[in-house]
Amino acid sequence: MRPMSFVRTLALCSVALGAVSPALAQAESPVVVHIEQRNLGQALTQLARQSGRQLIFTPEAVRGKRALPLHGSYTPEQALNRLLAGSDLTYQQTSGGALVVSSRTQSPPTQATRGGATAATTIAPAQQTFDPDEPTEIDEVIVIGTAGAGIRRQDAAFAVTNLSSEAISQAAPSSTADLFRLVPGVTAESSGGQNGANIFVRGYPSGGDAEYVTLQTQGVPFFPPSTLSFLENSQLIRIDETLKRVEAVRGGTSALFSSGQPGLTVNFVQREGGPEFEGLAKISTTDYGDVRGDAYVSGPLGPDTTFMVGGYYAGGPGVRDPQFTAERGGQITANVRHRFDNGSLLVFGRYLNDHGQWLLPIPVSQDGDDISEWNGFDAGTGTFAGNETRLSVLNDGSRVDLADGRGSDIVNFGANLDFDLTDNISVRNRTSYLSGSANTFGMVPGGTPPQTAAAYAASLGGTLTSLTYVNGGGAVADPANQLVIPVGVWRVEKDIESLVNDLAFEFRAGSHTITAGLYYAQYSSDDRWNLGNAQLLTAEPNARRLDMTIRNTATTALQQVTRAGFASGSTFNVNATYDGRDTAFYLTDEWKVTPELTLDGGVRYQNHQVDGTLENNTFGVDTDANPDTLFNNNSAVLNGTFSTLTYDGDETSWTLGANYAFTPSLSAFGRYSRGHSFPFFDNLRDGLRQTQKVDSYEAGLKASYDRVDLYATVFRNEFEGLATTVITNGAPIASVGGAETTGVELEGQIRATEAINIAFSGTWLDASYQDFFTDGGTTDLTGNTVQRQPEWQGRITPSWTVPVGETGQISLYTTLAYVGDRFSDVQNQQTLPAFYKWDAGVTWDVNERIQVQVTGDNLTDEIGLTEGNPRTIGSQGSGVILARPILGRSFRLSVGYRF
């Protein structure tokens, strides 16, 4: 038997964490216990450690059994009785004071006393030899996708990914959305910067943002609309060292719990304090000039109360350097948990004030599947933004500072109450309140790639007469051949607020666990947009503003094309207030039919209401009534009249699932779900009132052995009532219809040796539109591939860990990721070629307190496109096009100190 296997067997079979004393013969005083684990073996281990009493049990006795959380002051026997309640287990106390757990129908394990110490043995398992292929029990417990009580991952009848803080650190995500690339079935485009990501899941059709993604913190959604225009919810939270883990469910029960949104549900779980004070201080720097500091501290506030507080602050130009500090801000997170006899109360809060450059398409060269740099414009680090374009005054007199970028300034508070009313009835309440702003200020290229100034003048119906720099007024040396591009300045301001409450009662009766819940959410968004505002720029990184005059070919009039570089005014404005309310009732039952078979089912009824007031636009306005000042012709102007919108709809969603455990570490599941997605503010403003219906079928296999973990899922989704919108030429363009998707997801890891680990994931997807129309219903796109989601994608991460010195170790790891061919548009005219991305890193734990980490991103400086030009309908052709590549090669160095 190997040493590590012997230790593991011994830990399961005999937990001896306190010395036996004669005082045990007397009445014991209660001790404070805090037990979170829902696996019975782990719960008993925690009880032994916290009470100082010796517990003896066999792996067979506790395998597959669960225990409720236990918090409060109990004698060891009282605590043990509560943990064993509802099981077929009992216990006996030996003459030496040990508590021996066994089945009511079997003899307990024996134990003998030698030399004053208790030596525990099990009757049969202790005599077995270790088999490396024998499955070991999985203790990974997840909360997401359940009514709140949590479930062992191996027992879950849905596909879930659990990312630990160590896995997050190794992945070194460049943004919150970038972390989601670790989740099979998810395509996360984080090339837009810290904010402005596009997240797609399992072929769910969407034009961008994160339409089918629900984000939670501590098990409750913090802003119920999964996506609004210019706001996907990863913009409202950041990855930092206060995170304990991240849970992600694809499909499954998403349509039943939380906000009832089918698709992907992600839960961010914060660290919490323990019985001892501890913390971390960490400083990071990059080769492109960003600096970041992270820290947290946690510990006890009393015998029943713990705390955690931490966060980060960062600043720098970012990978695409705009010549000013574009990335700046931070987040502070804190929580306090108080435990009482029958439950606990968790209060948490978070303040986020962070902004970054909004990254959009730049010029690249395309020749079929060959993508290359265009005219010295670095595809990995280039940006149009620069000192000359940072500050501007739009035609309507409003001012824009690009350093404000895209980001959030929000507060988020919440509280979770867990309370056992009786041994068989529990109540859980989850509350979250969020308020603040989520603004976007950025430079948005139009539909035309770079061209000569003479060609641009001709497109306006004239010949070039002058071309000068706005800054300094000097004439351009070769004006006719100067490459130029119109790039808009967009200003979007959103003041948002939400209140969410999820109340659930859990009833345990025999083999059934029944949950009844009430979900209520109220949320609002006050929007002020000004889109369009094209500037005429030199087609180069950190571009310069240009002023132009032309001679009109038809009238021979001298025309002023620009004002301080601006070639147009607004093309679309929004001045609106929206309010939404969701009320839902849900009922679920988990039935433990046999020790191996678990069935679950549930139904959710939801009512969705929206009210809004919008100021109307007048289009095609010449704001100075002078046809020869082209910069303010054909402008959109808010006209002081208002429209209202209302929506009141309801739907019923439901699900049925089953999980069969062949062994404690090998199980299979199947599930059917009917879910709905209601229209939110922007859909209703654009006249899209249909409710989307999703029928989901999935089945999977979950295996976890000593050397191998494997999770495989096959799924099919059928959609009706789809409504997607993209903003083209400054105004929203809608597409409606249905789709069908079929796919396979793989996720797992191979522990080849004690030092070598290989993690992997992959997705195959076949997704196509069905009865899907665009261009006002005139163009049928049935059979086209769902946009921006590849048929194949995957990643593999081998790692090697070796000890260094007495307490240190070094871990080397690398990741090779593949993203297959995609189409950027619903018309399937803009091709995004396949690409590979190679990352690597090394972590050196100098000792138990000091850690040094170096990570490298996109080591080969690959030009991988994640987006074409959504402001162009149809193909961009070959040669110079506008597209958004992934970020170029970069490196990060971090040094952390634990205390």
Short mmCIF file of all heavy atoms in Angstrom, two decimals, residues 496-526:
data_model
loop_
_atom_site.label_atom_id
_atom_site.label_comp_id
_atom_site.label_asym_id
_atom_site.label_seq_id
_atom_site.Cartn_x
_atom_site.Cartn_y
_atom_site.Cartn_z
N ILE A 496 -28.57 52.18 -12.99
CA ILE A 496 -29.30 50.93 -12.79
C ILE A 496 -29.54 50.69 -11.30
O ILE A 496 -28.81 51.19 -10.44
CB ILE A 496 -28.54 49.74 -13.40
CG1 ILE A 496 -27.15 49.59 -12.76
CG2 ILE A 496 -28.42 49.89 -14.90
CD1 ILE A 496 -26.39 48.36 -13.21
N GLU A 497 -30.58 49.91 -11.03
CA GLU A 497 -30.92 49.56 -9.66
C GLU A 497 -31.70 48.25 -9.68
O GLU A 497 -32.48 48.00 -10.60
CB GLU A 497 -31.76 50.66 -9.01
CG GLU A 497 -32.03 50.46 -7.53
CD GLU A 497 -32.78 51.63 -6.91
OE1 GLU A 497 -33.44 52.38 -7.66
OE2 GLU A 497 -32.70 51.80 -5.68
N SER A 498 -31.50 47.42 -8.67
CA SER A 498 -32.25 46.17 -8.60
C SER A 498 -32.36 45.71 -7.15
O SER A 498 -31.48 45.94 -6.33
CB SER A 498 -31.60 45.07 -9.45
OG SER A 498 -30.39 44.64 -8.86
N LEU A 499 -33.49 45.05 -6.87
CA LEU A 499 -33.72 44.38 -5.59
C LEU A 499 -34.24 42.99 -5.90
O LEU A 499 -35.24 42.84 -6.62
CB LEU A 499 -34.74 45.15 -4.75
CG LEU A 499 -35.17 44.46 -3.44
CD1 LEU A 499 -33.99 44.35 -2.47
CD2 LEU A 499 -36.33 45.21 -2.79
N VAL A 500 -33.57 41.98 -5.36
CA VAL A 500 -33.93 40.58 -5.62
C VAL A 500 -34.11 39.87 -4.28
O VAL A 500 -33.29 40.04 -3.37
CB VAL A 500 -32.84 39.86 -6.45
CG1 VAL A 500 -33.24 38.41 -6.70
CG2 VAL A 500 -32.60 40.59 -7.76
N ASN A 501 -35.17 39.08 -4.16
CA ASN A 501 -35.36 38.26 -2.97
C ASN A 501 -35.87 36.89 -3.38
O ASN A 501 -36.81 36.76 -4.18
CB ASN A 501 -36.36 38.90 -2.00
CG ASN A 501 -36.29 38.26 -0.62
OD1 ASN A 501 -35.44 38.62 0.19
ND2 ASN A 501 -37.16 37.31 -0.34
N ASP A 502 -35.24 35.87 -2.84
CA ASP A 502 -35.59 34.48 -3.14
C ASP A 502 -35.81 33.76 -1.80
O ASP A 502 -34.87 33.53 -1.04
CB ASP A 502 -34.48 33.82 -3.94
CG ASP A 502 -34.91 32.49 -4.57
OD1 ASP A 502 -35.95 31.97 -4.15
OD2 ASP A 502 -34.20 32.02 -5.46
N LEU A 503 -37.07 33.43 -1.50
CA LEU A 503 -37.44 32.76 -0.25
C LEU A 503 -37.86 31.33 -0.55
O LEU A 503 -38.69 31.10 -1.43
CB LEU A 503 -38.60 33.52 0.42
CG LEU A 503 -39.24 32.87 1.65
CD1 LEU A 503 -38.24 32.80 2.81
CD2 LEU A 503 -40.50 33.64 2.06
N ALA A 504 -37.28 30.37 0.18
CA ALA A 504 -37.58 28.96 -0.07
C ALA A 504 -37.75 28.21 1.24
O ALA A 504 -37.03 28.46 2.22
CB ALA A 504 -36.48 28.31 -0.89
N PHE A 505 -38.74 27.30 1.26
CA PHE A 505 -38.95 26.38 2.37
C PHE A 505 -38.66 24.97 1.88
O PHE A 505 -39.14 24.55 0.84
CB PHE A 505 -40.39 26.47 2.88
CG PHE A 505 -40.71 27.76 3.57
CD1 PHE A 505 -41.19 28.84 2.85
CD2 PHE A 505 -40.55 27.89 4.95
CE1 PHE A 505 -41.49 30.04 3.47
CE2 PHE A 505 -40.84 29.08 5.58
CZ PHE A 505 -41.32 30.16 4.84
N GLU A 506 -37.86 24.25 2.68
CA GLU A 506 -37.49 22.88 2.34
C GLU A 506 -38.11 21.93 3.35
O GLU A 506 -37.96 22.11 4.57
CB GLU A 506 -35.98 22.72 2.32
CG GLU A 506 -35.52 21.31 1.95
CD GLU A 506 -34.01 21.18 1.96
OE1 GLU A 506 -33.37 21.64 1.00
OE2 GLU A 506 -33.49 20.61 2.95
N PHE A 507 -38.81 20.91 2.83
CA PHE A 507 -39.46 19.90 3.67
C PHE A 507 -38.84 18.54 3.36
O PHE A 507 -38.82 18.12 2.20
CB PHE A 507 -40.96 19.86 3.39
CG PHE A 507 -41.65 21.19 3.50
CD1 PHE A 507 -41.72 22.03 2.40
CD2 PHE A 507 -42.20 21.60 4.70
CE1 PHE A 507 -42.35 23.26 2.49
CE2 PHE A 507 -42.83 22.83 4.80
CZ PHE A 507 -42.90 23.66 3.70
N ARG A 508 -38.37 17.85 4.40
CA ARG A 508 -37.75 16.55 4.22
C ARG A 508 -38.68 15.49 4.83
O ARG A 508 -38.95 15.53 6.05
CB ARG A 508 -36.37 16.51 4.88
CG ARG A 508 -35.38 17.46 4.23
CD ARG A 508 -34.07 17.55 4.98
NE ARG A 508 -34.22 18.18 6.29
CZ ARG A 508 -34.27 19.50 6.49
NH1 ARG A 508 -34.18 20.32 5.46
NH2 ARG A 508 -34.41 20.00 7.70
N ALA A 509 -39.16 14.59 4.00
CA ALA A 509 -40.10 13.56 4.45
C ALA A 509 -39.68 12.24 3.84
O ALA A 509 -39.86 12.02 2.63
CB ALA A 509 -41.53 13.91 4.04
N GLY A 510 -39.11 11.39 4.64
CA GLY A 510 -38.65 10.10 4.14
C GLY A 510 -37.61 10.28 3.06
O GLY A 510 -36.57 10.91 3.26
N SER A 511 -37.88 9.75 1.87
CA SER A 511 -36.93 9.83 0.78
C SER A 511 -37.15 11.04 -0.11
O SER A 511 -36.51 11.16 -1.16
CB SER A 511 -37.01 8.55 -0.07
OG SER A 511 -38.34 8.37 -0.57
N HIS A 512 -38.06 11.94 0.27
CA HIS A 512 -38.38 13.12 -0.52
C HIS A 512 -37.84 14.38 0.15
O HIS A 512 -37.90 14.53 1.37
CB HIS A 512 -39.89 13.28 -0.71
CG HIS A 512 -40.51 12.24 -1.57
ND1 HIS A 512 -40.67 12.39 -2.93
CD2 HIS A 512 -40.99 10.99 -1.27
CE1 HIS A 512 -41.24 11.32 -3.43
NE2 HIS A 512 -41.44 10.45 -2.44
N THR A 513 -37.32 15.27 -0.68
CA THR A 513 -36.97 16.61 -0.24
C THR A 513 -37.73 17.59 -1.14
O THR A 513 -37.45 17.69 -2.34
CB THR A 513 -35.46 16.87 -0.36
OG1 THR A 513 -34.76 15.93 0.46
CG2 THR A 513 -35.13 18.30 0.10
N ILE A 514 -38.71 18.26 -0.56
CA ILE A 514 -39.60 19.14 -1.31
C ILE A 514 -39.27 20.58 -0.98
O ILE A 514 -39.11 20.95 0.19
CB ILE A 514 -41.07 18.83 -0.97
CG1 ILE A 514 -41.40 17.37 -1.34
CG2 ILE A 514 -42.01 19.78 -1.70
CD1 ILE A 514 -42.75 16.91 -0.85
N THR A 515 -39.16 21.40 -2.02
CA THR A 515 -38.84 22.82 -1.84
C THR A 515 -39.91 23.66 -2.52
O THR A 515 -40.25 23.42 -3.68
CB THR A 515 -37.47 23.16 -2.42
OG1 THR A 515 -36.47 22.36 -1.79
CG2 THR A 515 -37.14 24.63 -2.19
N ALA A 516 -40.44 24.64 -1.78
CA ALA A 516 -41.38 25.60 -2.33
C ALA A 516 -40.78 26.98 -2.17
O ALA A 516 -40.29 27.34 -1.08
CB ALA A 516 -42.73 25.52 -1.61
N GLY A 517 -40.79 27.78 -3.25
CA GLY A 517 -40.10 29.06 -3.19
C GLY A 517 -40.87 30.18 -3.86
O GLY A 517 -41.72 29.96 -4.73
N LEU A 518 -40.54 31.40 -3.43
CA LEU A 518 -41.10 32.62 -4.01
C LEU A 518 -39.93 33.53 -4.40
O LEU A 518 -39.10 33.88 -3.54
CB LEU A 518 -42.01 33.33 -3.02
CG LEU A 518 -42.46 34.75 -3.40
CD1 LEU A 518 -43.31 34.72 -4.66
CD2 LEU A 518 -43.23 35.39 -2.25
N TYR A 519 -39.88 33.88 -5.67
CA TYR A 519 -38.82 34.76 -6.19
C TYR A 519 -39.46 36.08 -6.60
O TYR A 519 -40.49 36.11 -7.29
CB TYR A 519 -38.14 34.10 -7.39
CG TYR A 519 -37.18 34.98 -8.16
CD1 TYR A 519 -35.84 35.03 -7.81
CD2 TYR A 519 -37.62 35.76 -9.23
CE1 TYR A 519 -34.95 35.84 -8.52
CE2 TYR A 519 -36.75 36.56 -9.93
CZ TYR A 519 -35.41 36.60 -9.57
OH TYR A 519 -34.55 37.40 -10.28
N TYR A 520 -38.84 37.19 -6.17
CA TYR A 520 -39.32 38.52 -6.57
C TYR A 520 -38.13 39.39 -6.93
O TYR A 520 -37.11 39.41 -6.22
CB TYR A 520 -40.11 39.18 -5.44
CG TYR A 520 -40.55 40.59 -5.80
CD1 TYR A 520 -41.65 40.79 -6.63
CD2 TYR A 520 -39.87 41.70 -5.33
CE1 TYR A 520 -42.06 42.07 -6.98
CE2 TYR A 520 -40.27 42.98 -5.67
CZ TYR A 520 -41.37 43.16 -6.48
OH TYR A 520 -41.76 44.42 -6.84
N ALA A 521 -38.24 40.09 -8.04
CA ALA A 521 -37.17 41.00 -8.47
C ALA A 521 -37.80 42.28 -9.01
O ALA A 521 -38.79 42.24 -9.75
CB ALA A 521 -36.32 40.34 -9.54
N GLN A 522 -37.20 43.39 -8.63
CA GLN A 522 -37.59 44.70 -9.16
C GLN A 522 -36.32 45.40 -9.61
O GLN A 522 -35.33 45.44 -8.88
CB GLN A 522 -38.30 45.50 -8.07
CG GLN A 522 -38.83 46.85 -8.53
CD GLN A 522 -39.70 47.50 -7.46
OE1 GLN A 522 -40.38 46.83 -6.70
NE2 GLN A 522 -39.65 48.82 -7.38
N TYR A 523 -36.33 45.96 -10.82
CA TYR A 523 -35.11 46.51 -11.37
C TYR A 523 -35.46 47.65 -12.33
O TYR A 523 -36.58 47.75 -12.84
CB TYR A 523 -34.30 45.43 -12.09
CG TYR A 523 -35.14 44.51 -12.94
CD1 TYR A 523 -35.38 44.78 -14.29
CD2 TYR A 523 -35.72 43.37 -12.39
CE1 TYR A 523 -36.17 43.94 -15.06
CE2 TYR A 523 -36.50 42.52 -13.16
CZ TYR A 523 -36.73 42.81 -14.48
OH TYR A 523 -37.51 41.99 -15.24
N SER A 524 -34.46 48.50 -12.56
CA SER A 524 -34.70 49.66 -13.42
C SER A 524 -33.41 50.06 -14.12
O SER A 524 -32.30 49.72 -13.68
CB SER A 524 -35.23 50.85 -12.60
OG SER A 524 -34.25 51.30 -11.67
N SER A 525 -33.58 50.80 -15.22
CA SER A 525 -32.45 51.37 -15.95
C SER A 525 -32.88 52.69 -16.55
O SER A 525 -33.90 52.75 -17.25
CB SER A 525 -31.97 50.41 -17.05
OG SER A 525 -30.86 50.95 -17.75
N ASP A 526 -32.15 53.74 -16.24
CA ASP A 526 -32.36 55.06 -16.85
C ASP A 526 -31.25 55.27 -17.87
O ASP A 526 -30.07 55.34 -17.50
CB ASP A 526 -32.35 56.16 -15.80
CG ASP A 526 -33.50 56.06 -14.82
OD1 ASP A 526 -34.44 55.29 -15.11
OD2 ASP A 526 -33.45 56.70 -13.76
#
